[in-house]
């Protein structure tokens, strides 16, 4: 979502303020650091980055801080780093033109509704369009700072989405990535406008856009994976067969403490349903280890889910206590070294699973959408099920979909040849 927010800022600054992107820091008149605050590390990194920019920027160049850390720390950022000229929150992106010339402006209102704002057009990759379908998050997962930084959830009207996607398709995009903190809660609340549509309805509506060939989305929430949604996922030929199902923990009691709204069994049931309806789908997940109160048995439950589902991609994190969250003040915080050991164990086992999955790809044929030129005459693309695949080729392949036979496998990516 931050990548898309950055695109929105670039578009606004280019079309309303005549700024252009530069690859050279010393040339920049304006530097914006778009930040994450979901874990503590990137927040700490922000202040060292500001120092680096101060050292190398040209005299008089402005520095702005955007994103979730901006929402969360607000004017505190300017207090700690007075060289920062303005602070703009993750919920206030459309205000970028207003803040760049106001010394020490702090725009971080999380009630602000920009769900129908018509942003300018900028896409870093013309072949794949990212499109926000909602802003904010209505959940209250006890570990997560996002509801405090991005505010309540508001869906973007479906007609606006169809318009935006159609425009991207006319500009050469065959693939769309629908973005939201909780995409399958789409339609629960709109801003000023009333509309009766849910995420399944939105997928059906978007599928009618001519020239659009692939639909991806992230992230769905396991709690809202009803049968109708999974049936649409499995049967709609435009929907890519890759699905992110964020587990967080395999322990039912920990899931309760996290306020995730499902049990280990519900989660496994949804994954089984995906495998039954759509055996070719790949499933990825997010897992947190070392959440307060996590016992050895809780952690074994997480390992058990990994064993049963065999996630193709795993994003795993050590629990990081965050301000404005319930879990930060829970008793029984877990020792960092224990959390570290568990993370290593989880990741090592996942690596073994991934090696088996990738080894089995040799000789398989995937439909690949090529979207990026790489050095040494290589072109990269993604298979329908989300695998990164390289072939030898030139820019003629860009924007094309072709069948590729896998010739070489590795943990992170596959090599193949167009057949
Ligand atoms: N500590 C560690 N990981 C977290 N995430 C969210 N909050 C925290 C936290 N406090 C992880 C979750 C989420 C992903 C985007 O980041 O796994 O799904
Ligand atoms: Fe955070 Fe939970 Fe919302 Fe995801 S669903 S953004 S983990 S509060």
């Amino acid at each position: 979502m931050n990548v898309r927010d950055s695109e929105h800022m670039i578009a606004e600054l280019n079309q309303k303020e005549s700024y252009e992107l530069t690859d050279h820091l010393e040339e920049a008149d304006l530097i914006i650091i778009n930040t994450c605050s979901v874990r503590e590390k990137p927040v700490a990194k922000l202040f060292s980055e500001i120092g680096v920019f101060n050292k190398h920027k040209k005299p008089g160049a402005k520095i702005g801080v955007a994103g979730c850390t901006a929402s969360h720390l607000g004017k505190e950022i300017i207090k700690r780093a007075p060289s920062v000229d303005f602070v703009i929150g993750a919920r206030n992106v459309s205000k970028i033109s207003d803040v760049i010339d106001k010394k020490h402006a702090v725009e971080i209102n999380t009630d602000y509704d920009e769900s129908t704002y018509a942003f300018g057009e900028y896409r870093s990759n013309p072949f794949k369009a990212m499109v926000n379908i909602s802003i904010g998050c209505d959940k209250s997962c006890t570990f997560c700072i996002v509801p405090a930084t991005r505010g309540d959830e508001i869906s973007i009207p479906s007609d606006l989405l169809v318009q935006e996607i159609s425009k991207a398709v006319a500009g050469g995009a065959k693939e769309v990535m629908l973005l939201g903190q909780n995409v399958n809660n789409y339609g629960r609340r709109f801003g000023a406008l009333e509309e009766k549509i849910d995420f399944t309805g939105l997928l059906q509506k978007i599928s009618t856009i001519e020239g659009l060939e692939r639909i991806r989305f992230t992230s769905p929430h396991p709690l809202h994976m009803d049968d109708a949604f999974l049936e649409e996922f499995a049967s709609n030929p435009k929907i890519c067969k890759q699905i992110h199902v964020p587990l967080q923990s395999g322990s039912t009691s920990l899931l309760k403490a996290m306020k995730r709204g499902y049990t280990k069994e519900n989660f496994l049931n949804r994954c089984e349903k995906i495998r039954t309806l759509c055996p070719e789908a790949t499933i990825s997940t997010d897992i947190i280890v070392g959440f307060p109160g996590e016992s050895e048995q809780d952690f074994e439950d997480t390992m058990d889910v990994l064993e049963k589902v065999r996630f193709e991609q795993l994003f795993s994190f050590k629990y990081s206590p965050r301000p404005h969250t319930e879990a930060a003040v829970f008793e029984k915080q877990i020792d960092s070294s224990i959390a570290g050991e568990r993370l290593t164990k989880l990741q090592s086992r996942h690596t073994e699973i991934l090696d088996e999955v990738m080894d089995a790809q040799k000789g398989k044929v995937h439909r690949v959408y090529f979207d990026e030129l790489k050095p040494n005459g290589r072109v990269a693309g993604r298979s329908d099920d989300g695998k990164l695949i390289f072939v030898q080729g030139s820019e003629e392949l860009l924007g094309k979909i072709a069948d590729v036979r896998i010739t070489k496998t590795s943990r992170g990516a596959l090599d193949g040849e167009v057949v």
Side-chain angles (χ1 to χ4, degrees):
M1 294 205 76
N2 269 15
V3 176
R4 184 60 184 146
D5 291 344
S6 296
E7 290 186 344
H8 279 151
M9 284 188 267
I10 292 165
E12 292 293 295
L13 291 171
N14 180 250
Q15 284 150 35
K16 302 217 170 98
E17 307 295 328
S18 318
Y19 279 92
E20 275 174 32
L21 281 173
T22 173
D23 289 330
H24 306 286
L25 169 59
E26 322 75 52
E27 282 178 4
D29 299 303
L30 175 60
I31 296 160
I32 300 177
I33 310 173
N34 197 6
T35 61
C36 175
S37 64
V38 89
R39 283 168 293 277
E40 198 180 355
K41 234 190 205 158
V43 179
K45 222 171 122 191
L46 166 67
F47 291 96
S48 59
E49 288 274 296
I50 294 171
V52 172
F53 287 131
N54 270 330
K55 208 163 142 200
H56 299 288
K57 77 182 177 83
K58 83 176 176 197
K62 290 177 191 162
I63 298 185
V65 176
C68 282
T69 304
S71 308
H72 143 227
L73 292 179
K75 58 178 189 289
E76 180 70 27
I77 296 177
I78 295 173
K79 242 196 206 156
R80 277 174 70 180
S83 61
V84 169
D85 290 279
F86 61 88
V87 172
I88 181 161
R91 181 76 172 220
N92 314 85
V93 179
S94 59
K95 295 265 178 86
I96 186 72
S97 291
D98 300 347
V99 297
I100 49 171
D101 292 324
K102 275 192 215 145
K103 187 73 183 162
H104 289 172
V106 176
E107 192 67 66
I108 54 168
N109 179 4
T110 48
D111 290 327
Y112 186 58
D113 177 6
E114 51 184 10
S115 63
T116 54
Y117 183 82
F119 282 100
E121 273 288 307
Y122 172 79
R123 299 198 178 276
S124 49
N125 185 331
F127 305 110
K128 289 198 290 196
M130 287 178 270
V131 172
N132 289 348
I133 67 164
S134 58
I135 57 176
C137 179
D138 267 358
K139 293 273 177 276
S140 40
C141 303
T142 55
F143 53 79
C144 185
I145 195 174
V146 171
T149 60
R150 288 191 178 264
D152 290 346
E153 191 172 311
I154 302 181
S155 300
I156 296 173
S158 65
D159 286 341
L160 292 184
L161 295 175
V162 169
Q163 273 174 30
E164 184 183 348
I165 297 166
S166 305
K167 223 190 224 177
V169 170
K174 290 194 172 98
E175 181 176 308
V176 67
M177 169 69 97
L178 308 175
L179 296 171
Q181 299 300 329
N182 204 342
V183 284
N184 51 344
N185 202 30
Y186 179 82
R188 178 179 157 152
R189 184 190 313 116
F190 291 91
L193 203 105
E194 275 299 316
E195 198 185 342
K196 266 225 124 8
I197 185 167
D198 62 4
F199 187 56
T200 306
L202 180 71
L203 289 170
Q204 288 162 346
K205 188 164 172 170
I206 287 173
S207 304
T208 62
I209 297 174
E210 228 172 282
L212 179 68
E213 302 202 22
R214 289 180 157 202
I215 301 171
R216 298 187 189 276
F217 51 82
T218 201
S219 280
H221 193 296
L223 183 64
H224 302 295
M225 290 194 174
D226 56 30
D227 286 358
F229 161 64
L230 292 181
E231 278 156 19
E232 184 65 27
F233 168 76
S235 63
N236 184 329
K238 287 196 178 179
I239 299 180
C240 291
K241 302 304 178 239
Q242 174 192 22
I243 189 162
H244 191 65
V245 196
L247 170 66
Q248 313 301 1
S249 168
S251 150
T252 294
S253 64
L254 239 59
L255 287 167
K256 196 161 178 219
M258 289 176 166
K259 293 202 179 151
R260 290 289 292 172
Y262 52 87
T263 61
K264 177 186 183 186
E265 287 68 33
N266 297 149
F267 183 93
L268 287 171
N269 171 282
R270 292 297 79 191
C271 291
E272 269 164 36
K273 185 88 189 174
I274 295 167
R275 296 271 193 240
T276 311
L277 290 172
C278 191
E280 73 275 26
T282 56
I283 304 180
S284 58
T285 201
D286 290 346
I287 290 176
I288 297 174
V289 298
F291 184 80
E294 185 184 66
S295 65
E296 268 310 311
Q297 183 51 49
D298 291 323
F299 176 66
E300 284 312 316
D301 278 332
T302 299
M303 291 297 288
D304 185 44
V305 176
L306 173 68
E307 224 48 69
K308 291 198 162 97
V309 183
R310 292 173 64 85
F311 304 101
E312 178 137 325
Q313 251 188 313
L314 166 68
F315 302 91
S316 50
F317 315 99
K318 227 192 220 189
Y319 168 71
S320 167
R322 307 304 297 125
H324 314 297
T325 63
E326 286 181 57
V329 289
F330 281 180
E331 285 172 11
K332 298 201 223 142
Q333 298 282 328
I334 301 296
D335 193 86
S336 174
S337 62
I338 295 177
E341 279 166 28
R342 289 178 185 166
L343 190 64
T344 307
K345 189 171 169 196
L346 179 76
Q347 290 176 341
S348 315
R349 179 63 192 126
H350 176 254
T351 303
E352 290 171 5
I353 292 173
L354 187 60
D355 283 343
E356 285 167 27
V357 170
M358 294 305 247
D359 281 351
Q361 291 296 315
K362 203 150 180 200
K364 290 224 161 107
V365 174
H366 285 283
R367 261 187 109 55
V368 177
Y369 179 40
F370 294 103
D371 60 57
E372 211 185 333
L373 219 47
K374 294 282 181 188
N376 305 325
R378 295 193 335 147
V379 188
R382 295 260 168 196
S383 62
D384 185 275
D385 67 357
K387 293 183 175 66
L388 178 61
I389 298 180
F390 294 94
V391 299
Q392 288 299 126
S394 64
E395 55 192 1
E396 276 164 35
L397 273 177
L398 288 179
K400 303 237 160 66
I401 297 177
D403 284 339
V404 173
R405 175 167 291 111
I406 303 306
T407 51
K408 203 171 132 219
T409 68
S410 72
R411 199 173 287 158
L414 302 170
D415 284 285
E417 51 199 22
V418 176
V419 290

